[in-house]
Structures are given as C-alpha cells and as structure tokens.
Amino acid sequence: MRICISLGCSEYDSATNLPAAARDAESIFKILTDSSIGNYETSFSVKIENPTLDQIRKSLLSVYGLALDVLTIYFSGHGFFKDGVYYICPRDCIPDKISMTGFSLSELFRILNEIHPSQTNIIIDSCHAGGLVGDLSQLLKPEIFGDQGG
C-alpha cells in the first residue's frame, strides 16, 4: 500500500504567513493520489492545510498498523534549526519556543520506526531545510532510526 501525508502550512499563529505552502501540499497530494501518476491510496492518504502539532502527530498515527509499502511525507512551511536539531513548524508553533512547539526530525524518525514502512520518502520544502544535514548525526543513531533487520 502506498500512502501520502501531505502537510502545507501557509498560515501561522506566531510566525510570518507563507501563502504558497498549502497550495504546494495540495499539488503534491493531487499528483501522488492520481491513479495514472502516483497511484497512492486516496482513502488512507492525508492532506492537512495549516496543521497544528497535534494534527501532524495524529496524521502519522492514522497510518500506524497499515501494511505500508511506501510512505511519503511532504511538508511545506517554515522550518527552524536550533541547537543542532531541525524542526518543521506547525501552525501553532512559537518560534522562540521551537523545541517545545515544533516537530523535530528525530521525533519523526522515532515514529517512523514504530510504523515500519518498507520505504519512506521525506520531502521538506521549508526554510533552513539545509540545516537538517547538521541533525544527521542525531538522526542516524540506532535508537532513533531503529533496527530494520537489514
């Protein structure tokens, strides 16, 4: 089964709005769920415009237990790099409190380790996305990335 989680955050409670982000997530979702192009399952795929932190977590929980061949996660919106950690910013993030209100890539990897998709594609279209390279040493730790038996 091929599932897409497409998140586009154009409107923020405490950060500058990004008018095109939600539209980009909508475009990715349409392409991936088009049966003649991406052929992702429309009934299980998720698209959320201006997601909150809780909605991001719930979207990932919604695919838990499914036999996933491919899970593609797309995020368009703000991103921050702080203290060696990269965060994507949901609508309700507070930039000055990003470690408590943002969604870190290490959290994403821990969740993916529980979901166990055969293949995962993570596409991050956000500010400072190049900063996530600095987070790789943390992300590639076995306790975060998990042992996939390979």
Side-chain angles (χ1 to χ4, degrees):
M1 179 181 307
R2 296 162 58 98
I3 303 293
C4 167
I5 297 175
S6 187
L7 309 165
C9 201
S10 287
E11 298 175 9
Y12 286 89
D13 299 340
S14 300
T16 306
N17 290 338
L18 297 171
R23 184 178 61 237
D24 292 346
E26 171 71 24
S27 296
I28 291 292
F29 185 82
K30 281 183 179 179
I31 289 168
L32 291 179
T33 57
D34 184 321
S35 62
S36 65
I37 302 172
N39 202 25
Y40 279 62
E41 294 283 335
T42 56
S43 56
F44 293 102
S45 291
V46 177
K47 176 185 60 73
I48 305 174
E49 185 175 317
N50 305 315
T52 63
L53 181 58
D54 188 52
Q55 288 174 314
I56 291 172
R57 289 179 176 136
K58 284 181 180 177
S59 71
L60 291 162
L61 183 60
S62 75
V63 300
Y64 182 80
L66 299 176
L68 296 175
D69 296 315
V70 178
L71 174 62
T72 296
I73 300 167
Y74 176 83
F75 176 79
S76 181
H78 281 300
F80 288 99
F81 187 69
K82 180 181 178 190
D83 298 328
V85 178
Y86 189 79
Y87 298 90
I88 62 172
C89 301
R91 180 185 75 223
D92 56 349
C93 80
I94 302 168
D96 293 344
K97 297 176 177 88
I98 194 67
S99 61
M100 295 183 290
T101 62
F103 188 73
S104 72
L105 288 189
S106 57
E107 180 178 357
L108 175 60
F109 273 65
R110 283 191 301 272
I111 291 169
L112 290 173
N113 190 41
E114 292 291 323
I115 295 173
H116 294 294
S118 296
Q119 175 183 327
T120 304
N121 304 306
I122 302 170
I123 305 161
I124 299 174
D125 179 8
S126 67
C127 320
H128 310 288
L132 69 89
V133 173
D135 205 7
L136 284 179
S137 64
Q138 291 298 314
L139 295 176
L140 296 178
K141 287 183 177 180
E143 58 271 20
I144 292 175
F145 190 64
D147 178 13
Q148 296 299 313

